[in-house]
Amino acid sequence: MTIKEKEQEIISEFEMFDDWLDKYNYIIEIGKSVPVIDSQYKQDQYLIKGCQSQVWLHASMEDGRVIFKADSDALITRGIVGLLIRVLSNQPPQDIVDADLAFIDAIGLKEHLSPTRSNGLVNMIKQMKLYALAFKAKQQGT
Amino acid sequence: MSFNIEQLRREFPLLSQEVNGKPLVYFDNAATTQKPKAVVERLIEYYYKENSNIHRGAHYLSQQATETYENARETTRLYLNAAFSHEIIFSRGTTEAINLVASSFSKKFVNPGDEILISAMEHHSNIVPWQMACQERGAILKVIPMNEKGELILEEYEKLLSNNTRIVAVTHVSNALGTINPIEEIISLAHQKGIPVLIDGAQAVPHMKVDVQALDCDFYCFSGHKLYGPMGVGVLYGKEEWLQQMPPYQGGGEMIKEVRFTGTTYNELPFKFEAGTPNVGDVLGLEAALRFVSYLRHDEISAYEDQLMQYGMEQLQTLENIRFIGTAEKKTSVISFIFNDIHPYDTGIILDKLGIAVRTGHHCAQPTMDFFEVPGTVRVSFAVYNTRQEIDILVEGLKKVRTLFG
Ligand SMILES: Cc1ncc(COP(=O)(O)O)c(C=O)c1O
């Protein structure tokens, strides 16, 4: 599936909820089910510091696609991290660079991507795109 | 309680709004309090009728504004019971007041190898300015430790006071823990060795009567916005003997007597430390806030807030897996806690959805969080307009948090 298709899939899932509590419950469930990142990556070099919560992000390249693994110490942040991974991981670098991630707004979670929340998510997306750019440059270089 | 809480709340229009479709419950008062009509109306009146630059014009408005500004200084002097009104310096807030002292005092009195003593529970604004001063002067920063309850260890403090200590800077009340420090003792121990003491009063002034002469502190700072006053204005009280000896902090207009290209002579106190056009409007707003608090009376405010805090503690204690951070014998108006199994940020997000404003995070006191080995806490802080019903709403909200995450 492309990034856009995955975003659309998530939007449909969230359309089921008409109440914020159900929506957050779902995000928390996603947060709980995100595969725990290997402790070897839970180190400062992978840490994206937010003031309120923090995120660890690891990226690798397999068969022309970028694989992201990530984690957070806060569960709601972790749930949103899970959604971002679902959309952006295992995609070609150029698509990741181009992604506008409009689904976040569509499912009503835009407030969590505001820099004022200071939860590490804004910088995580920036970092994901930087990794994608770097992998793309490497690809073209070889 | 002699004031009517419903009537009091009507003085704070902001409190009656809804947030996320729920009636606002505002428990972030240690960050900033809401403003009563008396304060906002004072600002309006100043800008509609009195605005003029001060200390310079011969014209009517300038004269009037100068007089009201200096009257506000006198009101502040009375409020703190300072000996002289020229010991009251208006600043942008606590942060600027501490920076002023850290910079000016250190230039004159701190030399390489000297020591500056702060405590383990300081707000970043009573840490970083001293670190900067130490760096500039080649001095050493020492830290008074605290115990597991969040109380300073006075025996250790006594040992840290040395012949090299030039100044002690300690908070009156901790913003992250609510601890009321025994500053009388801290001051008198330092004075036995001739060492001056700066007290960060940002979290104390809203909750208790402060008498700087009775305390005998050398410097005392607070922010207007945590005391029902406007943002952007604060107070530095300094004993005349120190302020006289300290060099100016910033240069500019107002703070000079004569300027020649060959040299400048400085104005007398307090103007020496108030360079440039002061924040007249907000100073008058602050004066209105001081009057408001005096009208409510500090003993009444403390009694009411203590009851709220006691009730809050009783109710919160019933929650599962709760750990209180800061359990000092003497506390005021702050309950800081963490659920052992839930991140404070998660708690804060759900409470926000329920219209409840609390602060989560490290509260600009990272060393304090490190000491308790927590990433941050959830902080509930009270003001005079909070109610028991609001505490009940908070507890219900926290139960919801527990069912979601627990
Ligand atoms: C204990 C303490 N000191 C200093 C400050 C800084 O005050 P301001 O930001 O108003 O300068 C605060 C504010 O959070 C505080 O709680």
Side-chain angles (χ1 to χ4, degrees):
Chain A
M1 261 199 276
T2 65
I3 288 179
K4 270 281 159 245
E5 284 162 355
K6 287 198 172 169
E7 289 194 51
Q8 198 47 54
E9 190 181 70
I10 292 171
I11 292 169
S12 320
E13 283 169 20
F14 274 77
E15 271 165 4
M16 300 186 317
F17 308 122
D18 39 26
D19 159 313
W20 70 268
L21 205 54
D22 294 339
K23 189 160 81 186
Y24 275 77
N25 229 334
Y26 186 56
I27 297 166
I28 292 163
E29 285 313 311
I30 299 171
K32 285 178 181 162
S33 64
V34 170
V36 181
I37 196 170
D38 286 351
S39 56
Q40 72 189 95
Y41 299 131
K42 269 204 167 175
Q43 288 173 5
D44 278 357
Q45 78 185 101
Y46 302 107
L47 178 64
I48 298 168
K49 253 186 137 46
C51 209
Q52 296 273 349
S53 62
Q54 29 206 19
V55 173
W56 292 266
L57 176 68
H58 177 262
S60 58
M61 185 79 153
E62 281 171 32
D63 303 329
R65 287 166 180 266
V66 186
I67 310 293
F68 290 113
K69 293 205 169 81
D71 203 346
S72 171
D73 53 351
L75 209 47
I76 291 178
T77 310
R78 204 154 182 263
I80 299 170
V81 162
L83 291 173
L84 287 167
I85 298 258
R86 191 169 141 198
V87 170
L88 292 181
S89 189
N90 203 16
Q91 298 289 348
Q94 186 61 49
D95 293 4
I96 296 167
V97 174
D98 293 340
D100 64 0
L101 302 175
F103 81 104
I104 295 283
D105 200 4
I107 61 177
L109 292 182
K110 196 173 170 198
E111 58 177 301
H112 291 281
L113 292 188
S114 142
T116 58
R117 282 279 182 196
S118 195
N119 52 16
L121 284 172
V122 175
N123 286 333
M124 171 177 159
I125 294 175
K126 245 184 238 159
Q127 193 61 44
M128 287 172 120
K129 294 198 170 210
L130 280 177
Y131 273 128
L133 266 178
F135 283 127
K136 202 184 124 216
K138 230 184 196 172
Q139 251 178 342
Q140 285 164 347
T142 53
Chain B
M1 180 179 75
S2 71
F3 49 80
N4 174 326
I5 194 78
E6 282 313 312
Q7 206 177 327
L8 180 66
R9 284 179 72 85
R10 279 199 292 276
E11 294 298 314
F12 294 84
L14 181 141
L15 293 176
S16 60
Q17 70 183 297
E18 292 199 337
V19 166
N20 287 322
K22 307 276 187 333
L24 169 67
V25 173
Y26 188 77
F27 279 145
D28 194 17
N29 295 290
T32 197
T33 56
Q34 299 308 335
K35 320 304 174 201
K37 285 180 190 162
V39 168
V40 180
E41 280 161 8
R42 186 68 192 91
L43 292 174
I44 293 173
E45 187 175 283
Y46 172 72
Y47 285 112
Y48 280 179
K49 297 186 188 152
E50 304 166 37
N51 176 51
S52 188
N53 211 328
I54 61 169
H55 296 138
R56 36 191 98 167
H59 62 82
Y60 172 80
L61 280 178
S62 175
Q63 295 271 337
Q64 289 292 310
T66 305
E67 209 165 295
T68 39
Y69 181 75
E70 290 307 321
N71 281 344
R73 201 189 301 278
E74 175 61 13
T75 307
T76 312
R77 178 195 76 75
L78 276 169
Y79 190 82
L80 293 176
N81 192 33
F84 310 105
S85 65
H86 61 254
E87 294 178 322
I88 303 294
I89 314 289
F90 290 116
S91 68
R92 276 170 53 225
T94 308
T95 303
E96 191 179 56
I98 296 173
N99 273 282
L100 188 161
V101 178
S103 167
S104 291
F105 180 92
S106 304
K107 275 197 187 99
K108 173 89 182 187
F109 296 105
V110 179
N111 292 303
D114 285 349
E115 291 166 7
I116 291 172
L117 193 49
I118 62 171
S119 94
M121 63 171 83
E122 297 307 316
H123 187 280
H124 294 166
S125 64
N126 201 27
I127 302 175
V128 184
W130 299 111
Q131 284 176 329
M132 289 162 68
C134 282
Q135 209 158 29
E136 204 174 297
R137 309 298 302 168
I140 303 150
L141 192 66
K142 297 261 174 155
V143 182
I144 311 163
M146 63 179 153
N147 64 24
E148 292 296 320
K149 288 170 146 182
E151 297 167 323
L152 294 180
I153 305 171
L154 286 189
E155 301 83 75
E156 297 296 324
Y157 167 59
E158 276 198 75
K159 285 187 220 152
L160 283 165
L161 281 172
S162 80
N163 290 335
N164 296 327
T165 312
R166 288 296 156 260
I167 188 166
V168 176
V170 174
T171 195
H172 195 168
V173 170
S174 152
N175 69 306
L177 308 171
T179 310
I180 304 175
N181 284 318
I183 56 166
E184 296 82 353
E185 240 179 302
I186 289 173
I187 293 163
S188 95
L189 285 167
H191 283 181
Q192 282 167 25
K193 300 205 160 173
I195 304 163
V197 180
L198 174 142
I199 301 295
D200 173 351
Q203 296 296 343
V205 166
H207 307 294
M208 60 190 75
K209 177 85 191 122
V210 170
D211 179 332
V212 291
Q213 289 192 82
L215 287 172
D216 200 25
C217 55
D218 302 273
F219 302 97
Y220 197 98
C221 328
F222 70 92
S223 300
H225 71 96
K226 294 181 196 280
L227 181 70
Y228 311 103
M231 285 188 173
V233 63
V235 171
L236 167 66
Y237 158 80
K239 272 187 191 161
E240 181 186 46
E241 55 175 297
W242 293 114
L243 294 178
Q244 290 286 17
Q245 298 181 70
M246 283 157 52
Y249 177 47
Q250 295 175 323
E254 294 278 348
M255 51 78 71
I256 45 83
K257 197 173 267 163
E258 269 194 337
V259 179
R260 297 285 180 279
F261 286 119
T262 47
T264 290
T265 48
Y266 301 127
N267 206 339
E268 61 218 35
L269 290 176
F271 312 111
K272 180 171 96 178
F273 290 108
E274 292 182 0
T277 298
N279 187 354
V280 182
D282 288 329
V283 163
L284 301 181
L286 172 62
E287 182 184 36
L290 298 180
R291 294 219 161 103
F292 178 80
V293 172
S294 303
Y295 171 77
L296 291 179
R297 294 184 42 160
H298 260 296
D299 48 349
E300 300 276 347
I301 295 175
S302 309
Y304 180 68
E305 289 177 344
D306 286 350
Q307 279 177 28
L308 272 182
M309 183 144 108
Q310 206 181 349
Y311 182 71
M313 280 302 288
E314 280 165 25
Q315 296 304 306
L316 290 171
Q317 258 159 13
T318 63
L319 296 165
E320 223 179 306
N321 262 339
I322 196 164
R323 173 183 166 206
F324 294 99
I325 306 294
T327 47
E329 299 297 329
K330 291 206 166 135
K331 279 189 63 171
T332 182
S333 294
V334 167
I335 302 180
S336 219
F337 67 90
I338 180 166
F339 286 124
N340 291 323
D341 49 351
I342 305 172
H343 197 281
Y345 180 70
D346 289 327
T347 306
I349 292 284
I350 301 300
L351 290 181
D352 175 53
K353 286 279 160 200
L354 295 166
I356 304 166
V358 296
R359 174 94 181 256
T360 61
H362 55 57
H363 318 296
C364 298
Q366 274 175 344
T368 308
M369 299 297 113
D370 292 347
F371 175 80
F372 288 100
E373 294 178 343
V374 291
T377 72
V378 181
R379 182 185 69 186
V380 178
S381 53
F382 303 111
V384 67
Y385 42 65
N386 287 126
T387 65
R388 283 177 169 234
Q389 292 90 304
E390 289 181 308
I391 292 172
D392 294 339
I393 294 172
L394 170 72
V395 171
E396 281 312 304
L398 289 171
K399 285 182 183 158
K400 199 161 256 173
V401 169
R402 287 222 53 87
T403 39
L404 274 168
F405 296 98

